[in-house]
Amino acid sequence: MAFFKPIYKKMSKLWHPQAVSVGKPVEMDELCKQIVLISTVSSADTKAALEALGLVLGTYMNSDRTVHVEGLGTFYYTCVSNGKGVDDAKKVNANQIQGTRVRFVPESRRQGNTVTRGLISEDVTWTNVNSISGLDGTGEGGSGKPGGSGGSGDDDQEENPLG
């Protein structure tokens, strides 16, 4: 089951659903235990491989490469230069870059005219987190006021959990 909460968007002046996570993040040990259950790999080997994956991804992306992990998706860098634009392409330089982001595009597959993402279950059931007693995804209970139910819903930009 996936959860959402109502969020007020100032730009559109309308309420929209926004996905929320509940509970603590799944940590490495829990991931390893689940992988061990569905494979022939030991827990120690699984953990070592997952830890190495992060290092290898960074190494390749630092070498100006995009990384595709079959069945998972594609990782790549983008850069941010908020408010640091220039009026001529010849003046663009690395000093304008204020931050680096890791972007991720989940694996997709096409069946006829339908495209589905590999990480998205075909039977996702969405439930309003405010309909569950004392649970609104923020750990504080919902307020029902614009922008008052936690998270950053003040604009129409999506948050990127990967940075």
Side-chain angles (χ1 to χ4, degrees), residues 79-99:
C79 58
V80 179
S81 61
N82 297 337
K84 297 244 180 187
V86 292
D87 59 3
D88 186 350
K90 293 178 184 176
K91 295 180 183 176
V92 173
N93 65 65
N95 293 331
Q96 293 171 260
I97 298 173
Q98 293 180 304

mmCIF file of all heavy atoms in Angstrom, residues 79-99:
data_model
loop_
_atom_site.group_PDB
_atom_site.id
_atom_site.type_symbol
_atom_site.label_atom_id
_atom_site.label_comp_id
_atom_site.label_asym_id
_atom_site.label_seq_id
_atom_site.Cartn_x
_atom_site.Cartn_y
_atom_site.Cartn_z
ATOM 1 N N CYS A 79 23.649 19.190 -12.935
ATOM 2 C CA CYS A 79 24.224 20.270 -12.138
ATOM 3 C C CYS A 79 23.211 21.397 -11.999
ATOM 4 O O CYS A 79 22.296 21.536 -12.807
ATOM 5 C CB CYS A 79 25.535 20.784 -12.741
ATOM 6 S SG CYS A 79 25.415 21.393 -14.416
ATOM 7 N N VAL A 80 23.379 22.193 -10.952
ATOM 8 C CA VAL A 80 22.461 23.273 -10.625
ATOM 9 C C VAL A 80 23.230 24.587 -10.672
ATOM 10 O O VAL A 80 24.321 24.689 -10.110
ATOM 11 C CB VAL A 80 21.864 23.066 -9.210
ATOM 12 C CG1 VAL A 80 20.938 24.200 -8.847
ATOM 13 C CG2 VAL A 80 21.154 21.733 -9.131
ATOM 14 N N SER A 81 22.638 25.587 -11.331
ATOM 15 C CA SER A 81 23.278 26.900 -11.395
ATOM 16 C C SER A 81 22.259 28.004 -11.127
ATOM 17 O O SER A 81 22.236 29.017 -11.814
ATOM 18 C CB SER A 81 23.937 27.109 -12.760
ATOM 19 O OG SER A 81 22.958 27.059 -13.785
ATOM 20 N N ASN A 82 21.407 27.796 -10.133
ATOM 21 C CA ASN A 82 20.341 28.744 -9.806
ATOM 22 C C ASN A 82 20.838 30.184 -9.744
ATOM 23 O O ASN A 82 21.718 30.508 -8.961
ATOM 24 C CB ASN A 82 19.698 28.392 -8.456
ATOM 25 C CG ASN A 82 19.025 27.044 -8.491
ATOM 26 O OD1 ASN A 82 18.660 26.557 -9.551
ATOM 27 N ND2 ASN A 82 18.850 26.441 -7.331
ATOM 28 N N GLY A 83 20.252 31.045 -10.567
ATOM 29 C CA GLY A 83 20.566 32.458 -10.521
ATOM 30 C C GLY A 83 21.960 32.829 -10.995
ATOM 31 O O GLY A 83 22.413 33.935 -10.774
ATOM 32 N N LYS A 84 22.647 31.907 -11.627
ATOM 33 C CA LYS A 84 24.032 32.175 -12.048
ATOM 34 C C LYS A 84 24.178 32.109 -13.568
ATOM 35 O O LYS A 84 25.226 31.752 -14.073
ATOM 36 C CB LYS A 84 24.982 31.170 -11.396
ATOM 37 C CG LYS A 84 25.028 31.246 -9.891
ATOM 38 C CD LYS A 84 26.388 31.641 -9.463
ATOM 39 C CE LYS A 84 26.461 31.726 -7.952
ATOM 40 N NZ LYS A 84 27.701 32.249 -7.514
ATOM 41 N N GLY A 85 23.116 32.441 -14.297
ATOM 42 C CA GLY A 85 23.173 32.403 -15.752
ATOM 43 C C GLY A 85 23.975 33.557 -16.316
ATOM 44 O O GLY A 85 24.184 34.571 -15.658
ATOM 45 N N VAL A 86 24.438 33.386 -17.557
ATOM 46 C CA VAL A 86 25.183 34.434 -18.255
ATOM 47 C C VAL A 86 24.526 34.671 -19.612
ATOM 48 O O VAL A 86 23.748 33.854 -20.093
ATOM 49 C CB VAL A 86 26.673 34.053 -18.428
ATOM 50 C CG1 VAL A 86 27.376 34.028 -17.084
ATOM 51 C CG2 VAL A 86 26.838 32.718 -19.130
ATOM 52 N N ASP A 87 24.858 35.791 -20.250
ATOM 53 C CA ASP A 87 24.190 36.182 -21.485
ATOM 54 C C ASP A 87 24.851 35.653 -22.759
ATOM 55 O O ASP A 87 24.394 35.932 -23.855
ATOM 56 C CB ASP A 87 24.058 37.704 -21.558
ATOM 57 C CG ASP A 87 25.404 38.416 -21.503
ATOM 58 O OD1 ASP A 87 26.434 37.726 -21.456
ATOM 59 O OD2 ASP A 87 25.404 39.659 -21.498
ATOM 60 N N ASP A 88 25.919 34.878 -22.638
ATOM 61 C CA ASP A 88 26.630 34.378 -23.817
ATOM 62 C C ASP A 88 27.154 32.975 -23.524
ATOM 63 O O ASP A 88 27.781 32.738 -22.486
ATOM 64 C CB ASP A 88 27.796 35.314 -24.148
ATOM 65 C CG ASP A 88 28.511 34.965 -25.449
ATOM 66 O OD1 ASP A 88 28.240 33.897 -26.020
ATOM 67 O OD2 ASP A 88 29.347 35.781 -25.876
ATOM 68 N N ALA A 89 26.921 32.038 -24.450
ATOM 69 C CA ALA A 89 27.354 30.646 -24.266
ATOM 70 C C ALA A 89 28.861 30.539 -24.040
ATOM 71 O O ALA A 89 29.328 29.649 -23.327
ATOM 72 C CB ALA A 89 26.943 29.793 -25.459
ATOM 73 N N LYS A 90 29.629 31.460 -24.611
ATOM 74 C CA LYS A 90 31.087 31.421 -24.466
ATOM 75 C C LYS A 90 31.533 31.787 -23.051
ATOM 76 O O LYS A 90 32.667 31.516 -22.664
ATOM 77 C CB LYS A 90 31.746 32.354 -25.476
ATOM 78 C CG LYS A 90 31.568 31.873 -26.902
ATOM 79 C CD LYS A 90 32.178 32.831 -27.887
ATOM 80 C CE LYS A 90 31.886 32.342 -29.311
ATOM 81 N NZ LYS A 90 32.376 33.273 -30.303
ATOM 82 N N LYS A 91 30.653 32.408 -22.263
ATOM 83 C CA LYS A 91 30.982 32.816 -20.898
ATOM 84 C C LYS A 91 30.632 31.745 -19.856
ATOM 85 O O LYS A 91 30.931 31.906 -18.681
ATOM 86 C CB LYS A 91 30.253 34.110 -20.533
ATOM 87 C CG LYS A 91 30.690 35.311 -21.343
ATOM 88 C CD LYS A 91 29.913 36.539 -20.919
ATOM 89 C CE LYS A 91 30.270 37.747 -21.753
ATOM 90 N NZ LYS A 91 29.446 38.916 -21.401
ATOM 91 N N VAL A 92 29.965 30.666 -20.279
ATOM 92 C CA VAL A 92 29.562 29.603 -19.352
ATOM 93 C C VAL A 92 30.805 28.892 -18.840
ATOM 94 O O VAL A 92 31.691 28.532 -19.611
ATOM 95 C CB VAL A 92 28.605 28.596 -20.034
ATOM 96 C CG1 VAL A 92 28.318 27.415 -19.130
ATOM 97 C CG2 VAL A 92 27.314 29.288 -20.443
ATOM 98 N N ASN A 93 30.884 28.710 -17.502
ATOM 99 C CA ASN A 93 32.028 27.999 -16.921
ATOM 100 C C ASN A 93 31.607 27.253 -15.656
ATOM 101 O O ASN A 93 30.503 27.451 -15.139
ATOM 102 C CB ASN A 93 33.192 28.961 -16.642
ATOM 103 C CG ASN A 93 32.850 29.982 -15.586
ATOM 104 O OD1 ASN A 93 32.621 29.626 -14.427
ATOM 105 N ND2 ASN A 93 32.798 31.257 -15.966
ATOM 106 N N ALA A 94 32.487 26.416 -15.162
ATOM 107 C CA ALA A 94 32.196 25.557 -14.016
ATOM 108 C C ALA A 94 31.940 26.345 -12.732
ATOM 109 O O ALA A 94 31.286 25.831 -11.816
ATOM 110 C CB ALA A 94 33.333 24.566 -13.800
ATOM 111 N N ASN A 95 32.419 27.575 -12.642
ATOM 112 C CA ASN A 95 32.189 28.384 -11.438
ATOM 113 C C ASN A 95 30.712 28.719 -11.229
ATOM 114 O O ASN A 95 30.313 29.096 -10.137
ATOM 115 C CB ASN A 95 33.008 29.677 -11.489
ATOM 116 C CG ASN A 95 34.491 29.410 -11.404
ATOM 117 O OD1 ASN A 95 34.919 28.425 -10.814
ATOM 118 N ND2 ASN A 95 35.280 30.272 -12.016
ATOM 119 N N GLN A 96 29.901 28.594 -12.274
ATOM 120 C CA GLN A 96 28.465 28.851 -12.162
ATOM 121 C C GLN A 96 27.738 27.712 -11.446
ATOM 122 O O GLN A 96 26.643 27.897 -10.956
ATOM 123 C CB GLN A 96 27.851 29.034 -13.552
ATOM 124 C CG GLN A 96 28.318 30.268 -14.274
ATOM 125 C CD GLN A 96 27.834 30.270 -15.706
ATOM 126 O OE1 GLN A 96 28.565 29.932 -16.612
ATOM 127 N NE2 GLN A 96 26.584 30.628 -15.882
ATOM 128 N N ILE A 97 28.321 26.549 -11.405
ATOM 129 C CA ILE A 97 27.659 25.374 -10.835
ATOM 130 C C ILE A 97 27.644 25.475 -9.317
ATOM 131 O O ILE A 97 28.682 25.577 -8.678
ATOM 132 C CB ILE A 97 28.343 24.074 -11.303
ATOM 133 C CG1 ILE A 97 28.235 23.972 -12.825
ATOM 134 C CG2 ILE A 97 27.724 22.861 -10.613
ATOM 135 C CD1 ILE A 97 29.023 22.829 -13.421
ATOM 136 N N GLN A 98 26.441 25.456 -8.756
ATOM 137 C CA GLN A 98 26.263 25.557 -7.310
ATOM 138 C C GLN A 98 26.097 24.198 -6.645
ATOM 139 O O GLN A 98 26.265 24.084 -5.440
ATOM 140 C CB GLN A 98 25.036 26.409 -6.988
ATOM 141 C CG GLN A 98 25.204 27.856 -7.363
ATOM 142 C CD GLN A 98 23.964 28.650 -7.026
ATOM 143 O OE1 GLN A 98 22.871 28.325 -7.472
ATOM 144 N NE2 GLN A 98 24.134 29.667 -6.210
ATOM 145 N N GLY A 99 25.721 23.196 -7.405
ATOM 146 C CA GLY A 99 25.527 21.881 -6.805
ATOM 147 C C GLY A 99 25.433 20.789 -7.848
ATOM 148 O O GLY A 99 25.138 21.048 -9.014
#
